Short mmCIF file of all heavy atoms in Angstrom, two decimals:
data_model
loop_
_atom_site.label_atom_id
_atom_site.label_comp_id
_atom_site.label_asym_id
_atom_site.label_seq_id
_atom_site.Cartn_x
_atom_site.Cartn_y
_atom_site.Cartn_z
N GLU A 97 -5.95 -5.15 4.65
CA GLU A 97 -7.07 -5.18 3.66
C GLU A 97 -6.57 -5.04 2.19
O GLU A 97 -7.34 -5.06 1.25
CB GLU A 97 -8.07 -4.16 3.94
CG GLU A 97 -8.84 -4.28 5.24
CD GLU A 97 -9.71 -5.49 5.34
OE1 GLU A 97 -10.31 -5.88 4.41
OE2 GLU A 97 -9.73 -6.11 6.45
N SER A 98 -5.24 -4.89 2.01
CA SER A 98 -4.70 -4.70 0.67
C SER A 98 -5.26 -3.59 -0.14
O SER A 98 -5.53 -3.73 -1.31
CB SER A 98 -4.76 -6.01 -0.14
OG SER A 98 -4.26 -7.03 0.56
N VAL A 99 -5.48 -2.48 0.58
CA VAL A 99 -5.90 -1.20 -0.11
C VAL A 99 -4.71 -0.69 -0.97
O VAL A 99 -3.58 -0.89 -0.55
CB VAL A 99 -6.31 -0.25 0.97
CG1 VAL A 99 -6.32 1.22 0.48
CG2 VAL A 99 -7.62 -0.64 1.61
N ASP A 100 -5.04 -0.15 -2.10
CA ASP A 100 -3.92 0.23 -2.96
C ASP A 100 -3.22 1.55 -2.45
O ASP A 100 -2.00 1.55 -2.46
CB ASP A 100 -4.48 0.51 -4.40
CG ASP A 100 -4.93 -0.76 -4.97
OD1 ASP A 100 -4.20 -1.42 -5.70
OD2 ASP A 100 -6.15 -1.09 -4.87
N VAL A 101 -4.09 2.51 -2.15
CA VAL A 101 -3.49 3.81 -1.64
C VAL A 101 -4.25 4.35 -0.41
O VAL A 101 -5.45 4.30 -0.43
CB VAL A 101 -3.56 4.87 -2.81
CG1 VAL A 101 -3.23 6.20 -2.29
CG2 VAL A 101 -2.61 4.58 -4.00
N LEU A 102 -3.47 4.71 0.52
CA LEU A 102 -4.05 5.60 1.63
C LEU A 102 -3.67 7.03 1.26
O LEU A 102 -2.55 7.32 1.16
CB LEU A 102 -3.45 5.23 2.96
CG LEU A 102 -3.70 6.20 4.14
CD1 LEU A 102 -5.18 6.47 4.34
CD2 LEU A 102 -3.00 5.82 5.33
N PHE A 103 -4.74 7.77 1.06
CA PHE A 103 -4.53 9.27 0.79
C PHE A 103 -4.79 9.99 2.10
O PHE A 103 -5.81 9.93 2.74
CB PHE A 103 -5.55 9.77 -0.30
CG PHE A 103 -5.39 11.22 -0.60
CD1 PHE A 103 -4.16 11.77 -0.83
CD2 PHE A 103 -6.52 11.93 -0.76
CE1 PHE A 103 -4.00 13.07 -1.18
CE2 PHE A 103 -6.40 13.30 -1.07
CZ PHE A 103 -5.16 13.87 -1.29
N TYR A 104 -3.68 10.69 2.56
CA TYR A 104 -3.65 11.23 3.87
C TYR A 104 -3.12 12.72 3.74
O TYR A 104 -1.93 12.98 4.16
CB TYR A 104 -2.68 10.36 4.75
CG TYR A 104 -2.58 10.80 6.09
CD1 TYR A 104 -3.57 10.91 7.06
CD2 TYR A 104 -1.23 11.10 6.63
CE1 TYR A 104 -3.36 11.34 8.28
CE2 TYR A 104 -0.99 11.50 7.94
CZ TYR A 104 -2.07 11.67 8.76
OH TYR A 104 -1.88 12.04 10.08
N PRO A 105 -4.02 13.57 3.13
CA PRO A 105 -3.47 14.90 3.05
C PRO A 105 -3.48 15.76 4.23
O PRO A 105 -4.10 15.38 5.25
CB PRO A 105 -4.54 15.46 2.01
CG PRO A 105 -5.82 14.71 2.38
CD PRO A 105 -5.44 13.40 2.79
N SER A 106 -2.63 16.80 4.11
CA SER A 106 -2.63 17.73 5.33
C SER A 106 -3.71 18.85 5.19
O SER A 106 -4.13 19.08 4.07
CB SER A 106 -1.23 18.39 5.39
OG SER A 106 -1.11 19.22 4.35
N VAL A 107 -4.05 19.39 6.30
CA VAL A 107 -5.09 20.51 6.29
C VAL A 107 -4.54 21.69 5.47
O VAL A 107 -5.25 22.30 4.68
CB VAL A 107 -5.34 20.99 7.74
CG1 VAL A 107 -6.23 22.21 7.75
CG2 VAL A 107 -6.01 19.85 8.51
N GLU A 108 -3.21 21.92 5.53
CA GLU A 108 -2.56 22.96 4.79
C GLU A 108 -2.70 22.82 3.25
O GLU A 108 -2.89 23.77 2.49
CB GLU A 108 -1.08 23.21 5.13
CG GLU A 108 -0.86 23.63 6.56
CD GLU A 108 -1.20 22.50 7.58
OE1 GLU A 108 -0.97 21.32 7.23
OE2 GLU A 108 -1.63 22.83 8.69
N ASP A 109 -2.56 21.53 2.90
CA ASP A 109 -2.67 21.23 1.37
C ASP A 109 -4.12 21.33 0.93
O ASP A 109 -4.38 21.73 -0.16
CB ASP A 109 -2.16 19.79 1.11
CG ASP A 109 -0.80 19.82 0.51
OD1 ASP A 109 -0.19 20.91 0.53
OD2 ASP A 109 -0.31 18.79 0.07
N MET A 110 -5.11 20.91 1.76
CA MET A 110 -6.47 20.93 1.36
C MET A 110 -7.04 22.27 1.42
O MET A 110 -7.86 22.65 0.58
CB MET A 110 -7.30 19.92 2.30
CG MET A 110 -6.96 18.44 2.12
SD MET A 110 -7.51 17.86 0.40
CE MET A 110 -9.27 17.48 0.75
N TYR A 111 -6.65 23.11 2.41
CA TYR A 111 -7.21 24.41 2.53
C TYR A 111 -6.02 25.41 2.70
O TYR A 111 -5.73 25.84 3.83
CB TYR A 111 -8.16 24.49 3.81
CG TYR A 111 -9.31 23.50 3.74
CD1 TYR A 111 -9.40 22.50 4.73
CD2 TYR A 111 -10.26 23.50 2.70
CE1 TYR A 111 -10.47 21.61 4.74
CE2 TYR A 111 -11.29 22.61 2.68
CZ TYR A 111 -11.41 21.67 3.72
OH TYR A 111 -12.38 20.72 3.65
N PRO A 112 -5.30 25.66 1.65
CA PRO A 112 -4.18 26.59 1.70
C PRO A 112 -4.64 27.98 2.07
O PRO A 112 -5.85 28.29 1.86
CB PRO A 112 -3.54 26.53 0.38
CG PRO A 112 -4.53 26.00 -0.53
CD PRO A 112 -5.52 25.15 0.30
N PRO A 113 -3.77 28.86 2.53
CA PRO A 113 -4.22 30.23 2.88
C PRO A 113 -4.88 30.83 1.63
O PRO A 113 -4.45 30.62 0.50
CB PRO A 113 -2.80 30.94 3.12
CG PRO A 113 -1.87 29.86 3.52
CD PRO A 113 -2.42 28.61 2.82
N GLY A 114 -5.97 31.52 1.86
CA GLY A 114 -6.67 32.15 0.75
C GLY A 114 -7.85 31.25 0.23
O GLY A 114 -8.58 31.66 -0.69
N TYR A 115 -7.95 30.05 0.76
CA TYR A 115 -9.03 29.15 0.29
C TYR A 115 -10.39 29.85 0.50
O TYR A 115 -10.67 30.36 1.62
CB TYR A 115 -8.97 27.85 1.09
CG TYR A 115 -9.95 26.85 0.51
CD1 TYR A 115 -9.56 25.99 -0.53
CD2 TYR A 115 -11.29 26.80 0.92
CE1 TYR A 115 -10.44 25.11 -1.17
CE2 TYR A 115 -12.19 25.88 0.41
CZ TYR A 115 -11.72 25.05 -0.63
OH TYR A 115 -12.56 24.24 -1.23
N ARG A 116 -11.30 29.76 -0.56
CA ARG A 116 -12.57 30.50 -0.48
C ARG A 116 -13.70 29.76 -1.09
O ARG A 116 -14.82 30.44 -1.25
CB ARG A 116 -12.39 31.88 -1.16
CG ARG A 116 -11.75 32.94 -0.29
CD ARG A 116 -11.66 34.16 -1.01
NE ARG A 116 -10.95 35.14 -0.23
CZ ARG A 116 -11.58 35.82 0.72
NH1 ARG A 116 -12.85 35.73 0.96
NH2 ARG A 116 -10.83 36.68 1.49
N THR A 117 -13.54 28.56 -1.55
CA THR A 117 -14.56 27.96 -2.36
C THR A 117 -15.35 26.84 -1.45
O THR A 117 -14.70 25.91 -1.03
CB THR A 117 -14.04 27.29 -3.63
OG1 THR A 117 -13.34 28.36 -4.32
CG2 THR A 117 -15.20 26.79 -4.52
N TYR A 118 -16.66 26.92 -1.46
CA TYR A 118 -17.44 26.07 -0.57
C TYR A 118 -18.66 25.51 -1.36
O TYR A 118 -19.17 26.17 -2.30
CB TYR A 118 -17.97 26.72 0.70
CG TYR A 118 -16.76 27.33 1.41
CD1 TYR A 118 -16.36 28.63 1.21
CD2 TYR A 118 -16.10 26.50 2.32
CE1 TYR A 118 -15.28 29.09 1.88
CE2 TYR A 118 -14.98 26.99 2.98
CZ TYR A 118 -14.57 28.32 2.80
OH TYR A 118 -13.49 28.82 3.42
#
Side-chain angles (χ1 to χ4, degrees):
E97 295 294 319
S98 308
V99 161
D100 294 272
V101 170
L102 163 59
F103 180 45
Y104 178 60
S106 66
V107 174
E108 295 70 31
D109 258 12
M110 289 294 275
Y111 304 119
Y115 188 88
R116 278 180 182 279
T117 305
Y118 302 91

